[in-house]
Amino acid sequence: MAYSPHGWWSILIGITLLCAIGSSRADKPCTASSSIGDLVLLGSSFQVFCTYQASCRASKSMHIDKKKTQKIQPYNSTTIFLNVTNISKNTTYTCLCEGEPEPCGLDIDTGYTPDLPENVTCVQKGPVGEVMCTWRRGRETHLTTTSELWVRAVFGNSTSGSVSYPGSGSRSDPGLVSANFPVSGSAQTEYSVWASSSNKLGSAVSTTLNFTLDHIVQPLPPDVSQVECWSLGCNVRVEEAQGAQLLEVQQRTAQGPGPWILHPHTAGSVWNQSIVSLQPYTKYEFQARVRLSHRRGIWSDWSQPASNWTQEEAPAKALDVWYTTSNSPNNSITLYWKRLSHTEARGEIRGYKVIVHDTLAGKSERNTSINHISGLPCSRCDVTVYALNSRGSSPPARVTIPLRAAQPPQNVMCRNHSNHSVTISWRRPVTAGAASGTGDGAVSGYLLEWFPVGRQVEKLGWKRLGPNETHTVISDNIKPFECYEGAVYALYEQAVGRAQFEDFYTLELVPSAGPSVHQPVVEGDKVTVSWSEVPQEHRRGCVINYTIYVKNSEGKDVGNYVCRASERSFTIRDLPPEYYRLWMTASTASGQGPRAGHSFIIKPQSLLSDSWIYTMVLVGITSFLVFFVLLCLYQVSSLRRRVSTLVHCLMPDIVPDPANSKWAKECAKEKGELTLHLYLSESSVSEEEEPDTVEVQELPEGSWSSWNPAQRTDISGTPEGAIHPSLHLLFMPQQIPATDPSTTAYFQSSYLKSFSQESGSSGQTQDSQGTDMTVDYISTHILEGREEKEEEGLDVMGFFSCPQNPLSPFMNPLVSFGGKLTLDAVRIDCSEFLD
């Protein structure tokens, strides 16, 4: 045989490569191997060996997935091994000789043998076409696994060979495998099919499925053409499917949606089916499927869903009604009711009708579209509420307002849970029914109401319970980190007993903000602090108190003032004048929150403040100026006399006893004539002039009864009309017998003092005009000593006279008399001066 030069070169290169490979293998320091090979079952146990060259005299080691292991054992002088137990994944084992750069290793692959294929089914979609078979391949093998479908057909007396068709997995269901194969021949041709799975660890084959095409033919899904409904049912109509003789329908509520409910085939028309026992005003979905016959073919797939609403009916249930009362003068109420559920409403609720029968105001009717109505005036009334839809109204819900007070539930307690719920428990009323004599009857039930603190109108919730229930769990409309309050009502036939509870919550934290502090009001040494409550979103539970902190300008705590949660102001007293810093916090049972958003700097005023001192100085200066002006005016004699006259004329009637006067005592001693020095004025009589004298006559005791005061004569014998200054004095003795009542009454009522003054121009004499004039008392104003006390006679006393004209009391000059006419008290008739 002849070889070309190129062929020899190829052989030479191949031999060289083989020698190089053999040399390289011989140069490796070790080899790795397994006691059961490099492909093992998951969970197997085996040994891994590392065999080194004799030249490797250094230390030997083994690594598992690049991590050194200390569990190796020596096998002989050149080999070490590792026991592997229950292997769970693919693993790499590496052998090393210290100082050698080239390691050796072994890769172990793990997996399972295939499971037996299960649930082999075949179906022919429509009357013609391929047959599709599906099966489940079992657990994942973690190895490359092949799935196949094997088909064998029997045509009469002959049998075809087995033909395999590769299977493919489903993306939506990895465990499902399917394969298609073509068919030929009649519908009675019998087929045998089975499935197989295989990998490097083994293989598995399913059981054989035998069928004819008549058994596996599946009609195409029908089309639902029409759904007609009434209030309690619907009629489903489908398009005609060729060859189908059976029809099934399934339905479910569209809201939710609910579970499918199957309605089997019924005798009658194949193309429509009636579904009954449905709920009014509910949207339903319907699907249909068909089959050729009971013995032929299988059920088709379900059609696409079709939907429709059933018609409305009048609401079937009465509303659940409750109310709250206000503190307004007209006793208005707010009425609430719960919305009916979809099943109870049986239609779209279009509004509510409220009828109020008030014993005072009569009957009134209101309509509303919301589930509460406020501002209903009600002193004593019966309220009826209806829910309305297009088909009618609900049964009436009645409530009597107000109900008579009765025995309330006892020992109401709240206990919160970690699942955002609260348990409310109570004890039955102490007395009930006829046994108590109250006439309330037995408890017919209980009502529990709750709402966030301060938001009863917006967030009121309630729950009705039976007469034998004494606890309940509420979780509806309960939010964490919010404070609630409420009450438990014991309901009687015509009465109700109420037990209140407050401050319950599901979860609680410290407040996230403080109260809103208003500007403090400073009044002297008092500071009034007011605030608004913590906003609802920042309370995070039930606020139990507020704390006011006050620090002085040096940063020292002056005081901490704790206020109840219901308070909105606080007055701090006795603060010395200084600058202070003030802030507030709010607290829950979990602790104290942060301080309010900002602090205030305050300076209390002392009681002796600058403004008070300024006011007092101003008042003092004004008072001094007024006093000074009055003092200056008082120095004017004419003004002083007029003021004195006015004051004396206004004094009350005080009747002194003349018998106690000094003049009367001297007269009683001498019982004769007395000389009275009279000076009409200081200008008319000088000290050198001889004073005029006036004779004073004392009447005998028996002459008082015959004396007529209206017919007076001058005692000195001077005619009454003579131009001579004279003074007429009529004295009453110390002992006056009461013989004449008129006379006695006269002397008990008045004493007449008259005088006539010389007139330079007219020469007329002023005299007394009578005794029936107004009597005044004039006291001595000015005493001017004309003679020494040792001189005999009476000193002349100066005094003011009453004014002549009552309309102008200060127009005429006053007459001044000198001397010392000393009377302890005297009553003087000024009627002569007024003429």
Side-chain angles (χ1 to χ4, degrees), residues 730-776:
L730 183 62
F731 288 87
M732 181 178 67
Q734 293 180 353
Q735 301 293 332
I736 301 177
T739 59
D740 189 353
S742 62
T743 305
T744 305
Y746 169 78
F747 286 105
Q748 290 177 351
S749 62
S750 63
Y751 297 92
L752 178 63
K753 173 183 177 181
S754 64
F755 71 92
S756 57
Q757 179 178 343
E758 182 179 359
S759 173
S761 60
S762 65
Q764 295 178 355
T765 303
Q766 297 178 354
D767 200 355
S768 173
Q769 300 299 320
T771 61
D772 55 349
M773 304 296 291
T774 302
V775 178
D776 287 331

Coordinates of all heavy atoms in Angstrom, one line a residue, residues 730-776:
L730 N -88.9 136.4 122.6 CA -90.0 135.8 123.5 C -89.5 134.6 124.1 O -89.1 133.6 123.4 CB -91.2 135.5 122.6 CG -92.5 135.0 123.4 CD1 -92.9 136.2 124.4 CD2 -93.6 134.7 122.5
F731 N -89.4 134.6 125.4 CA -88.8 133.5 126.2 C -89.9 132.7 126.8 O -90.9 133.2 127.3 CB -87.9 134.0 127.2 CG -86.6 134.6 126.7 CD1 -86.6 135.9 126.3 CD2 -85.5 133.8 126.5 CE1 -85.4 136.5 125.8 CE2 -84.3 134.3 126.0 CZ -84.3 135.7 125.6
M732 N -89.7 131.4 126.8 CA -90.6 130.5 127.5 C -90.0 130.1 128.8 O -88.8 129.7 128.9 CB -90.7 129.3 126.6 CG -91.7 128.3 127.3 SD -91.9 126.8 126.2 CE -90.3 126.2 126.3
P733 N -90.7 130.3 129.9 CA -90.2 129.9 131.2 C -89.8 128.5 131.3 O -90.3 127.7 130.4 CB -91.3 130.3 132.2 CG -92.2 131.2 131.4 CD -92.0 130.9 130.0
Q734 N -89.1 128.1 132.3 CA -88.7 126.7 132.5 C -89.9 125.9 132.8 O -90.0 124.7 132.3 CB -87.7 126.6 133.6 CG -86.4 127.3 133.2 CD -85.3 127.2 134.3 OE1 -85.7 126.7 135.4 NE2 -84.1 127.6 134.0
Q735 N -90.9 126.4 133.6 CA -92.0 125.6 133.9 C -93.2 126.3 133.3 O -93.6 127.4 133.6 CB -92.2 125.6 135.4 CG -91.0 125.0 136.2 CD -90.9 123.6 135.9 OE1 -91.9 122.9 135.5 NE2 -89.7 123.0 135.9
I736 N -93.8 125.6 132.3 CA -95.0 126.2 131.6 C -96.1 125.2 131.8 O -96.1 124.0 131.4 CB -94.7 126.3 130.1 CG1 -93.5 127.3 129.9 CG2 -95.9 126.8 129.3 CD1 -93.1 127.4 128.4
P737 N -97.2 125.7 132.4 CA -98.3 124.8 132.6 C -99.0 124.6 131.2 O -99.2 125.5 130.4 CB -99.2 125.6 133.5 CG -98.9 127.0 133.3 CD -97.4 127.1 133.0
A738 N -99.5 123.4 131.1 CA -100.2 123.0 129.9 C -101.7 123.2 130.0 O -102.4 122.3 130.2 CB -99.9 121.6 129.5
T739 N -102.1 124.6 130.0 CA -103.5 124.9 130.2 C -104.2 124.9 128.9 O -105.4 124.5 128.7 CB -103.6 126.2 130.9 OG1 -103.0 127.2 130.1 CG2 -103.0 126.2 132.3
D740 N -103.6 125.5 127.8 CA -104.2 125.6 126.5 C -103.5 124.7 125.5 O -102.3 124.9 125.3 CB -104.2 127.1 126.1 CG -105.0 127.3 124.8 OD1 -105.5 126.3 124.3 OD2 -105.2 128.5 124.4
P741 N -104.2 123.8 125.0 CA -103.5 122.9 124.0 C -102.9 123.6 122.9 O -101.9 123.3 122.4 CB -104.6 121.9 123.6 CG -105.6 122.0 124.7 CD -105.6 123.4 125.2
S742 N -103.6 124.7 122.4 CA -103.1 125.4 121.2 C -101.9 126.1 121.5 O -100.9 126.2 120.8 CB -104.2 126.3 120.6 OG -104.5 127.3 121.6
T743 N -101.9 126.7 122.7 CA -100.7 127.5 123.1 C -99.5 126.6 123.4 O -98.4 126.8 123.0 CB -101.0 128.3 124.4 OG1 -102.1 129.1 124.1 CG2 -99.8 129.1 124.8
T744 N -99.8 125.5 124.1 CA -98.8 124.5 124.3 C -98.2 124.0 123.1 O -97.0 123.8 122.9 CB -99.3 123.4 125.2 OG1 -99.9 123.9 126.3 CG2 -98.2 122.4 125.5
A745 N -99.1 123.7 122.1 CA -98.6 123.2 120.8 C -97.7 124.2 120.1 O -96.8 123.9 119.4 CB -99.8 122.8 120.0
Y746 N -98.1 125.5 120.3 CA -97.3 126.5 119.6 C -95.9 126.6 120.1 O -94.9 126.6 119.4 CB -98.0 127.9 119.7 CG -97.1 129.0 119.3 CD1 -97.0 129.3 118.0 CD2 -96.4 129.8 120.3 CE1 -96.2 130.3 117.6 CE2 -95.6 130.8 119.8 CZ -95.5 131.1 118.5 OH -94.7 132.2 118.1
F747 N -95.8 126.6 121.4 CA -94.4 126.7 122.0 C -93.6 125.4 121.9 O -92.4 125.4 121.9 CB -94.5 127.1 123.5 CG -94.9 128.5 123.7 CD1 -96.1 128.9 124.1 CD2 -94.0 129.5 123.4 CE1 -96.5 130.3 124.2 CE2 -94.3 130.9 123.5 CZ -95.5 131.2 123.9
Q748 N -94.3 124.3 121.7 CA -93.6 123.1 121.5 C -93.1 123.0 120.0 O -92.2 122.2 119.8 CB -94.5 121.9 121.8 CG -94.7 121.7 123.3 CD -95.7 120.6 123.6 OE1 -96.2 120.0 122.6 NE2 -95.8 120.2 124.8
S749 N -93.7 123.8 119.2 CA -93.4 123.6 117.8 C -92.4 124.7 117.3 O -91.6 124.4 116.4 CB -94.6 123.6 116.9 OG -95.3 124.9 117.0
S750 N -92.5 125.9 117.8 CA -91.6 126.9 117.2 C -91.3 128.0 118.2 O -92.0 128.3 119.1 CB -92.2 127.5 116.0 OG -93.4 128.2 116.3
Y751 N -90.1 128.7 118.0 CA -89.7 129.9 118.7 C -89.5 130.9 117.7 O -88.8 130.7 116.7 CB -88.5 129.6 119.5 CG -88.6 128.5 120.6 CD1 -88.4 127.2 120.3 CD2 -89.2 128.9 121.8 CE1 -88.6 126.3 121.3 CE2 -89.4 127.9 122.8 CZ -89.1 126.6 122.5 OH -89.2 125.6 123.4
L752 N -90.0 132.1 117.9 CA -89.9 133.2 117.0 C -88.8 134.1 117.3 O -88.8 134.6 118.4 CB -91.3 133.9 116.9 CG -91.3 135.1 115.9 CD1 -91.1 134.6 114.5 CD2 -92.6 135.8 116.0
K753 N -88.0 134.4 116.4 CA -87.0 135.4 116.5 C -87.2 136.4 115.4 O -87.2 136.0 114.2 CB -85.6 134.8 116.4 CG -84.5 135.8 116.4 CD -83.2 135.2 116.3 CE -82.1 136.2 116.2 NZ -80.8 135.6 116.0
S754 N -87.5 137.6 115.7 CA -87.7 138.6 114.7 C -86.9 139.8 114.9 O -86.5 140.1 116.1 CB -89.2 139.0 114.7 OG -89.6 139.7 115.9
F755 N -86.6 140.5 113.9 CA -85.8 141.7 114.0 C -86.2 142.7 112.9 O -86.7 142.3 111.9 CB -84.3 141.4 114.0 CG -83.9 141.0 112.6 CD1 -83.4 142.0 111.7 CD2 -84.0 139.7 112.2 CE1 -83.0 141.6 110.5 CE2 -83.5 139.3 111.0 CZ -83.0 140.2 110.1
S756 N -86.0 144.0 113.2 CA -86.2 145.0 112.2 C -85.0 145.8 112.0 O -84.3 146.1 113.0 CB -87.4 145.9 112.6 OG -87.2 146.5 113.8
Q757 N -84.6 145.9 110.8 CA -83.3 146.5 110.4 C -83.6 147.9 109.8 O -84.5 148.0 108.9 CB -82.5 145.6 109.5 CG -81.2 146.2 109.1 CD -80.5 145.2 108.2 OE1 -80.8 144.0 108.2 NE2 -79.5 145.7 107.5
E758 N -82.8 148.8 110.2 CA -83.1 150.1 109.6 C -82.6 150.1 108.1 O -81.5 149.7 107.8 CB -82.3 151.2 110.4 CG -82.5 152.6 109.8 CD -81.7 153.6 110.7 OE1 -81.0 153.2 111.6 OE2 -81.7 154.8 110.3
S759 N -83.5 150.7 107.3 CA -83.2 150.8 105.9 C -82.8 152.2 105.5 O -83.6 153.1 105.9 CB -84.4 150.3 105.1 OG -84.1 150.5 103.7
G760 N -81.7 152.4 104.9 CA -81.3 153.7 104.6 C -82.1 154.4 103.5 O -82.1 155.6 103.4
S761 N -82.8 153.7 102.7 CA -83.5 154.3 101.6 C -85.0 154.4 101.8 O -85.6 155.4 101.6 CB -83.2 153.5 100.3 OG -83.7 152.2 100.5
S762 N -85.6 153.3 102.3 CA -87.1 153.2 102.4 C -87.6 153.5 103.8 O -88.7 153.8 104.0 CB -87.6 151.9 101.9 OG -87.1 150.9 102.7
G763 N -86.8 153.2 104.8 CA -87.2 153.3 106.1 C -88.2 152.3 106.6 O -88.9 152.5 107.6
Q764 N -88.4 151.3 105.8 CA -89.3 150.3 106.2 C -88.7 149.3 107.2 O -87.5 149.1 107.2 CB -89.8 149.5 104.9 CG -90.5 150.4 103.9 CD -90.9 149.6 102.7 OE1 -90.6 148.5 102.6 NE2 -91.7 150.2 101.9
T765 N -89.6 148.8 107.9 CA -89.2 147.8 109.0 C -89.6 146.4 108.6 O -90.8 146.2 108.3 CB -89.8 148.2 110.3 OG1 -89.4 149.5 110.6 CG2 -89.3 147.2 111.4
Q766 N -88.7 145.5 108.6 CA -89.0 144.1 108.3 C -89.5 143.5 109.6 O -89.0 143.7 110.6 CB -87.8 143.4 107.8 CG -87.3 143.9 106.5 CD -86.0 143.2 106.0 OE1 -85.5 142.4 106.7 NE2 -85.6 143.5 104.8
D767 N -90.5 142.7 109.4 CA -91.0 142.1 110.6 C -91.5 140.7 110.3 O -91.6 140.3 109.1 CB -92.2 142.9 111.1 CG -92.5 142.6 112.6 OD1 -91.9 141.7 113.1 OD2 -93.4 143.3 113.1
S768 N -91.8 140.0 111.3 CA -92.4 138.7 111.1 C -93.7 138.7 110.6 O -94.6 139.5 110.9 CB -92.3 137.9 112.4 OG -93.0 136.7 112.3
Q769 N -94.1 137.8 109.6 CA -95.4 137.8 109.0 C -96.2 136.7 109.5 O -97.4 136.6 109.2 CB -95.2 137.6 107.5 CG -94.4 138.7 106.8 CD -95.0 140.0 106.9 OE1 -96.2 140.1 106.8 NE2 -94.2 141.1 107.2
G770 N -95.8 135.9 110.3 CA -96.6 134.8 110.9 C -95.8 133.7 111.4 O -94.6 133.7 111.3
T771 N -96.4 132.8 112.0 CA -95.8 131.6 112.6 C -96.0 130.4 111.8 O -95.5 129.3 112.2 CB -96.3 131.5 114.0 OG1 -97.7 131.2 113.9 CG2 -96.0 132.7 114.8
D772 N -96.7 130.4 110.7 CA -96.9 129.2 109.9 C -95.9 129.0 108.8 O -96.2 128.4 107.9 CB -98.3 129.2 109.4 CG -98.6 130.5 108.5 OD1 -97.7 131.4 108.6 OD2 -99.6 130.5 107.9
M773 N -94.7 129.6 108.9 CA -93.7 129.5 107.9 C -92.8 128.3 108.2 O -92.9 127.7 109.3 CB -92.9 130.8 107.9 CG -93.7 132.0 107.6 SD -94.5 132.1 106.0 CE -93.0 132.2 105.0
T774 N -92.0 128.0 107.2 CA -91.1 126.9 107.4 C -90.0 127.2 108.4 O -89.4 128.3 108.4 CB -90.4 126.6 106.0 OG1 -91.4 126.3 105.1 CG2 -89.4 125.4 106.2
V775 N -89.8 126.3 109.3 CA -88.9 126.6 110.4 C -87.6 125.9 110.1 O -87.5 124.7 109.8 CB -89.5 126.0 111.8 CG1 -88.5 126.3 112.9 CG2 -90.8 126.7 112.0
D776 N -86.5 126.6 110.2 CA -85.1 126.1 110.0 C -84.3 126.4 111.2 O -84.5 127.3 112.0 CB -84.5 126.7 108.7 CG -85.1 126.2 107.5 OD1 -85.6 125.0 107.5 OD2 -85.1 126.9 106.5

